[in-house]
Amino acid sequence: MKLHNFILFTALFLFFTGDALAQLTIYSGRSKALVDPIIAKFEEETGINVRIRFGGTTQLAVAIMEEGRRSPADVFWGQDGGALGALHNQGLLANLPEPILGGIPEGFKNNDRTWVATSGRARVLAYNERRVSQDNLPESIFDLTKPEWRGKVGWSPANASFQSFVTAMRKNLGEEQTRQWLTDMKNNGAVAYNNNNSIIQAIAAGEVELGITNHYYIERMRSENPTYTVNMTFFSDNDIGNLLNVAGVGVLNSSRNKENAERFIAFLLSDEIQRYFVNETFEYPVIYGMDDYDSKLIEALEVSPSMDLELLSDLDATLRLLRSVGLL
Amino acid sequence: MRLPYFLRKLPPWYFLLPSVFIGLAVSIPLVYLIIRALGGDFSETTELLFRQRNLVLFWNTVSLTLGVVVVTTLVSYPLAWLSTRSDIPAKKFITMIGVLPLALPGYVVAYAILGLGGDNGTLAMVFGLEISRLTGYWGSLLAVSLYTFPYLFLNLRAGFLGLDPSTEEAARSLGYSSFQILRKVTIPQLRPSFLAGILIITLYVLGDFGAVSLMRFETLSYSLYIQYAASFDRIYAAIIALILISITVVVLVLEYKLLKGLLFYRAGTGTGRKMRESKLGKLRWISYGFVGAIILFSLIIPIFTILYWMAQGVSPAVWANLGDAIRSSVLVSAPAAVLSVLMAIPLAYIAVRFPSRTSNILQRFAYLGYATPPLALALAFIFFSLNVVPVLYQTFALLIFAYALHFLAEAIGPVRSSLYQASPKLEEAAMSLGMNRFKAFLKSTLPLLFNGIIVGASFVFLSAMKELPITFLLAPIGLDTLAVNVWSYSAEGMFAEAAPFALSILFFSVFFVGILFSREWKS
């Protein structure tokens, strides 16, 4: 009896998990908290039925590579230019139609037009206001290796956005200088955390005084709690520590719902959703012409080093470097 | 027609075939890992294998495991004794205390402990006490011990309850003191229960990465997770996974050697008489303090942390999602629990009724499934399903099967224990009345396994409710469980949003633990 029921159960499951109903399947490295409201709006406006698989950006990119032609994904939405570049390099992404990309500045879309940024995120220096005075903050990411910061800096060598920053450093300043910086940081007792958020919590707890993280976590914390002791700043203009990375999307070559996928991307680039990113996630928009929002984007572009985001896909060499320095 | 001798000694096919099938299924991840590890360039592979860093990771892993074994033993032995043999009041309550931490996801416990210290920690807020946060080895040791000790506690508790009072009475009549009895009679008899609990804890610690990653303590599992999460190549991840599995094989062999010849102590139950309760006397207040400390650390602090998060204001969208997440979690965890037990029965049966080297090895395979790091197991199943049975990719069936296979070891212990206590004579009697062996098993033995089945299924259910890596990788698109929500929200620092999901895990687990013990308490 029990066994019969079980077999029946299993058969029903198998039956109901087919993708007959979905008209658009998204693999999202962006968090559910952020994505769900956008999807709800999109479904409401277009009547398109969406399925989403959430996960880590790199993890989902790897899943798509393993799945190959059989991938159920129509759209890949990642937190990091590197992962999009990696999919592009494998020839897995389809060309995007020019009208979608019209208002997007160069640098926020790749040269072959297979992916486009949906929002910008900057690397910043986070610090504990109670413990460090603003006048004493380091000017450059290379100052973090000075003895005065010994054991006081938090970082996250295992984190994808940190690794993208290291890739950028390699491309801009060369292997040797990057290796030297990593080694100096390690010897200076930089404290490794598992992700950006853990760094910020450690700074708030007074475990470390400084940290290198993405910018938007801190803005969110401060908006929720005005007395929050963690603040942030950029290094001096064009310092590689101010890298402006992106979250972005691409449509898969293997997709059978390309039209819906493109509609979704156009939707993400609309004023409405761009405002949502700025207000809810404190990221930078990727389009101009939204009044008060422009100044933020202009500021971020000014302080960040110029960087071809496509080069960030060279992750393997970065991982080899991190391993050889003993950080991974 | 009479079968040749060696075939007559074989277990019946309906027990043997499932066992062999399970053995094969457990081997899939191993084969996958070996293929991946050898797939790389030879010099690169050897370089990765003999990195100095692996030694550090290895040492961290071993020292944490040993530490957890010591701490959980120090917690579980007294607690099990108090809850079964002493005259302490509210024994049911104490038993619940010993089970509930199973319902707490490890990383939630870690967040709670981290949240105590620091400038803005609970201690600073409430008592004005600014101490640095407990992290690294000691933080990991505390967190991991707190949520794994129930595995040992429950085994020891069952052991204490199953002891035959007459051996102790005999020792007493020979003039042994209470302490001598404990040391020379009771503890040796509890060795199988002790080893069974320690084995599960050891394997759990070896594979766990949630708490250690937050505590910044780098073990092999944490490193495996990092390699997997960060990298597009799988070679180093496969190498670390194989190192981990080698450690667990050593543990399994060690356990087997220590257990050899001991198993029949369990047979000594069935005297219907109750064990005398020991008076606590002067130890009473120490015992209360001990129980109080356990309650404080393993329940009050984590639960209050969750409630504190929730008090920060949960966004309304979360409540809309909660029902869905509960449904998803139960819909995958419950069938996984049933399937695990269905797999555990044949394995336990052939190991107990047809003890031989082969049946023993097959049974050990169940533990190998537990020992395979969940990430590696999930990757192997992705690879296997995509290449061999694409229809199964991203289905509920595959996810449930992977859960069941991974958590089988938790189910097999209780099922095996109750099988030891079910006399084979009943089955023989049923067969002599003309039933075939299968029917005889169903009618006479299976009802006696009920308790073990319930306990085993509950273990698997609780673990599956908390499970992360396998769910992340194998879940059908759109399925999103309570545990995944807790992890995703808390990793983004959105603790208020994570709280309702964590509480739901706790609530459902309490519900099931209640079912688990209501039967015992009724009788």
Side-chain angles (χ1 to χ4, degrees):
Chain A
M1 256 317 268
K2 248 184 199 164
L3 192 67
H4 287 149
N5 284 341
F6 184 74
I7 292 170
L8 188 71
F9 218 42
T10 316
L12 282 174
F13 270 138
L14 279 170
F15 180 71
F16 281 117
T17 51
D19 54 4
L21 287 173
Q23 295 159 308
L24 181 65
T25 302
I26 301 170
Y27 277 22
S28 172
R30 309 222 60 182
S31 72
K32 187 177 157 57
L34 166 77
V35 172
D36 270 352
I38 298 178
I39 300 300
K41 214 169 263 173
F42 178 71
E43 285 186 324
E44 189 189 326
E45 280 182 22
T46 60
I48 293 170
N49 188 7
V50 180
R51 280 194 313 175
I52 314 182
R53 177 173 175 190
F54 293 101
T57 295
T58 312
Q59 174 189 322
L60 289 175
V62 173
I64 289 175
M65 292 176 194
E66 293 241 4
E67 288 163 358
R69 274 185 310 111
R70 291 205 200 89
S71 180
D74 298 307
V75 171
F76 172 76
W77 190 3
Q79 301 247 39
D80 164 46
L84 287 154
L87 287 178
H88 171 74
N89 291 344
Q90 301 251 331
L92 291 166
L93 297 181
N95 277 25
L96 296 171
E98 202 50 44
I100 294 187
L101 305 176
I104 311 294
E106 287 300 327
F108 283 154
K109 49 193 175 187
N110 71 341
N111 299 330
D112 291 329
R113 304 290 189 252
T114 58
W115 63 261
V116 57
T118 51
S119 56
R121 53 239 329 265
R123 300 288 299 174
V124 292
L125 175 71
Y127 63 98
N128 186 321
E129 286 180 322
R130 250 180 61 181
R131 290 174 181 252
V132 191
S133 112
Q134 232 169 333
D135 312 329
N136 296 334
L137 289 172
E139 292 280 303
S140 154
I141 196 141
F142 289 95
D143 293 341
L144 294 176
T145 60
K146 287 183 177 166
E148 57 193 286
W149 301 116
R150 188 168 180 79
K152 292 179 178 169
V153 183
W155 64 348
S156 52
N159 181 263
S161 19
F162 176 83
Q163 289 166 356
S164 281
F165 149 73
V166 175
T167 311
M169 195 181 217
R170 283 176 40 232
K171 299 290 176 187
N172 272 23
L173 305 172
E175 295 286 330
E176 267 328 293
Q177 209 177 338
T178 310
R179 175 188 293 272
Q180 193 58 50
W181 180 76
L182 290 168
T183 314
D184 292 346
M185 283 292 283
K186 192 181 171 210
N187 293 339
N188 207 29
V191 187
Y193 293 90
N194 67 335
N195 60 28
N196 287 308
N197 185 49
S198 294
I199 297 178
I200 293 163
Q201 281 173 21
I203 297 174
E207 199 165 282
V208 287
E209 295 182 355
L210 305 178
I212 40 180
T213 75
N214 288 348
H215 78 283
Y216 47 90
Y217 295 93
I218 299 165
E219 287 208 29
R220 191 182 69 216
M221 296 290 187
R222 288 178 76 84
S223 81
E224 285 167 6
N225 175 5
T227 61
Y228 203 62
T229 50
V230 183
N231 205 343
M232 63 178 192
T233 178
F234 283 111
F235 295 102
S236 55
D237 287 4
N238 298 320
D239 192 282
I240 191 71
N242 302 338
L243 177 72
L244 187 66
N245 198 343
V246 296
V249 282
V251 177
L252 288 151
N253 260 329
S254 56
S255 164
R256 273 166 301 200
N257 300 310
K258 287 209 176 73
E259 206 171 303
N260 290 346
E262 284 158 9
R263 269 178 89 175
F264 180 68
I265 292 179
F267 181 72
L268 292 180
L269 299 173
S270 68
D271 276 15
E272 183 189 5
I273 301 301
Q274 288 293 307
R275 284 209 165 89
Y276 173 85
F277 286 136
V278 178
N279 293 328
E280 295 297 318
T281 63
F282 304 95
E283 290 173 293
Y284 299 111
V286 294
I287 54 172
Y288 289 108
M290 297 195 306
D291 321 320
D292 42 326
Y293 297 116
D294 283 4
S295 59
K296 292 198 68 170
L297 176 57
I298 290 165
E299 186 208 348
L301 286 170
E302 249 172 34
V303 297
S304 63
S306 65
M307 177 73 211
D308 181 353
L309 290 177
E310 223 161 340
L311 295 176
L312 296 185
S313 64
D314 186 15
L315 179 63
D316 280 347
T318 298
L319 292 175
R320 270 200 296 279
L321 178 62
L322 288 170
R323 276 178 201 155
S324 82
V325 180
L327 287 169
L328 276 186
Chain B
M1 187 187 79
R2 277 180 72 81
L3 291 166
Y5 180 71
F6 72 96
L7 277 182
R8 260 183 289 138
K9 256 188 71 182
L10 277 180
W13 63 270
Y14 42 81
F15 285 130
L16 190 60
L17 274 187
S19 308
V20 171
F21 170 74
I22 294 162
L24 288 177
V26 171
S27 320
I28 292 175
L30 286 181
V31 174
Y32 166 82
L33 288 172
I34 293 168
I35 292 175
R36 276 289 145 111
L38 297 179
D41 176 48
F42 182 73
S43 65
E44 203 187 339
T45 306
T46 42
E47 196 189 309
L48 288 172
L49 180 59
F50 295 108
R51 289 181 72 192
Q52 206 183 350
R53 192 179 157 78
N54 292 351
L55 264 183
V56 176
L57 296 173
F58 177 81
W59 171 242
N60 284 351
T61 307
V62 171
S63 62
L64 179 65
T65 310
L66 290 177
V68 171
V69 166
V70 171
V71 174
T72 52
T73 305
L74 292 179
V75 171
S76 304
Y77 249 114
L79 199 65
W81 183 84
L82 281 173
S83 78
T84 54
R85 304 289 290 275
S86 76
D87 64 343
I88 202 165
K91 291 211 187 67
K92 287 180 189 175
F93 176 69
I94 291 181
T95 306
M96 280 307 264
I97 292 162
V99 185
L100 277 185
L102 279 184
L104 292 167
Y107 46 94
V108 171
V109 178
Y111 276 123
I113 293 171
L114 281 174
L116 284 178
D119 292 0
N120 56 348
T122 320
L123 291 176
M125 297 294 177
V126 182
F127 303 106
L129 190 65
E130 286 192 14
I131 54 162
S132 50
R133 301 196 300 175
L134 193 59
T135 59
Y137 179 77
W138 298 105
S140 308
L141 180 61
L142 179 63
V144 177
S145 302
L146 282 178
Y147 60 83
T148 54
F149 85 83
Y151 290 113
L152 182 57
F153 165 74
L154 285 173
N155 269 294
L156 286 176
R157 183 175 175 277
F160 270 118
L161 289 176
L163 285 184
D164 187 340
S166 58
T167 29
E168 291 188 22
E169 280 157 18
R172 199 176 300 278
S173 72
L174 291 170
Y176 278 45
S177 72
S178 297
F179 182 71
Q180 279 173 318
I181 293 175
L182 192 67
R183 199 167 61 88
K184 295 203 170 146
V185 180
T186 315
I187 290 182
Q189 287 194 85
L190 288 174
R191 235 163 99 186
S193 312
F194 176 72
L195 288 174
I198 288 296
L199 179 63
I200 291 286
I201 289 181
T202 307
L203 299 182
Y204 193 106
V205 178
L206 289 174
D208 191 39
F209 69 84
V212 288
S213 72
L214 292 170
M215 291 291 179
R216 308 195 306 102
F217 187 66
E218 293 189 57
T219 60
L220 285 165
S221 280
Y222 178 29
S223 180
L224 174 66
Y225 169 70
I226 289 174
Q227 304 305 330
Y228 169 70
S231 157
F232 292 116
D233 88 67
R234 293 278 171 270
I235 297 169
Y236 190 39
I239 290 173
I240 295 178
L242 286 173
I243 297 177
L244 258 176
I245 292 176
S246 322
I247 299 179
T248 59
V249 169
V250 173
V251 172
L252 286 173
V253 170
L254 213 65
E255 199 249 15
Y256 175 65
K257 298 253 181 241
L258 289 171
L259 203 56
K260 227 175 169 179
L262 281 176
L263 279 172
F264 294 104
Y265 282 113
R266 280 174 195 266
T269 56
T271 48
R273 238 164 357 122
K274 277 223 159 168
M275 193 70 86
R276 218 158 40 109
E277 284 184 346
S278 305
K279 294 259 181 298
L280 280 172
K282 281 183 206 143
L283 289 176
R284 179 165 303 274
W285 292 104
I286 298 178
S287 308
Y288 289 168
F290 172 74
V291 173
I294 294 175
I295 298 177
L296 179 68
F297 277 99
S298 66
L299 292 173
I300 295 183
I301 292 175
I303 291 172
F304 268 78
T305 306
I306 298 173
L307 291 174
Y308 175 77
W309 290 349
M310 209 148 116
Q312 311 299 303
V314 181
S315 76
V318 165
W319 299 112
N321 264 328
L322 190 62
D324 240 5
I326 292 173
R327 211 169 18 253
S328 305
S329 276
V330 175
L331 270 183
V332 289
S333 303
V338 174
L339 185 58
S340 274
V341 171
L342 285 180
M343 286 154 93
I345 292 172
L347 280 176
Y349 190 86
I350 64 169
V352 173
R353 293 282 194 263
F354 298 89
S356 73
R357 184 177 281 265
T358 323
S359 63
N360 231 312
I361 290 175
L362 278 175
Q363 198 201 160
R364 299 281 124 173
F365 262 89
Y367 287 96
L368 212 53
Y370 200 56
T372 309
L375 278 173
L377 185 105
L379 278 173
F381 272 94
I382 289 183
F383 183 80
F384 177 78
S385 65
L386 277 172
N387 289 295
V388 185
V389 273
V391 271
L392 281 180
Y393 182 61
Q394 283 187 344
T395 56
F396 279 93
L398 192 69
L399 177 66
I400 291 166
F401 183 64
Y403 276 158
L405 210 56
H406 181 59
F407 292 121
L408 181 55
E410 291 182 0
I412 202 168
V415 172
R416 193 181 44 201
S417 303
S418 49
L419 196 54
Y420 271 118
Q421 294 169 2
S423 164
K425 297 217 166 62
L426 287 175
E427 251 170 276
E428 285 158 18
M431 282 197 285
S432 73
L433 291 173
M435 287 187 187
N436 64 27
R437 187 182 267 279
F438 188 59
K439 205 159 175 209
F441 166 77
L442 286 185
K443 293 274 179 202
S444 67
T445 308
L446 193 61
L448 295 175
L449 300 187
F450 190 75
N451 251 336
I453 286 175
I454 294 283
V455 175
S458 307
F459 275 162
V460 177
F461 181 83
L462 293 180
S463 300
M465 290 284 282
K466 296 190 295 183
E467 209 286 332
L468 275 178
I470 296 177
T471 320
F472 263 131
L473 270 84
L474 293 181
I477 299 175
L479 179 96
D480 111 274
T481 63
L482 292 169
V484 166
N485 273 293
V486 177
W487 174 258
S488 318
Y489 280 117
S490 53
E492 291 279 319
M494 304 169 84
F495 293 107
E497 278 70 19
F501 297 101
L503 274 187
S504 304
I505 294 181
L506 198 66
F507 177 79
F508 274 87
S509 307
V510 171
F511 183 69
F512 274 81
V513 171
I515 294 179
L516 160 73
F517 283 97
S518 63
R519 214 182 116 84
E520 180 191 307
W521 288 336
K522 250 186 268 162
S523 57

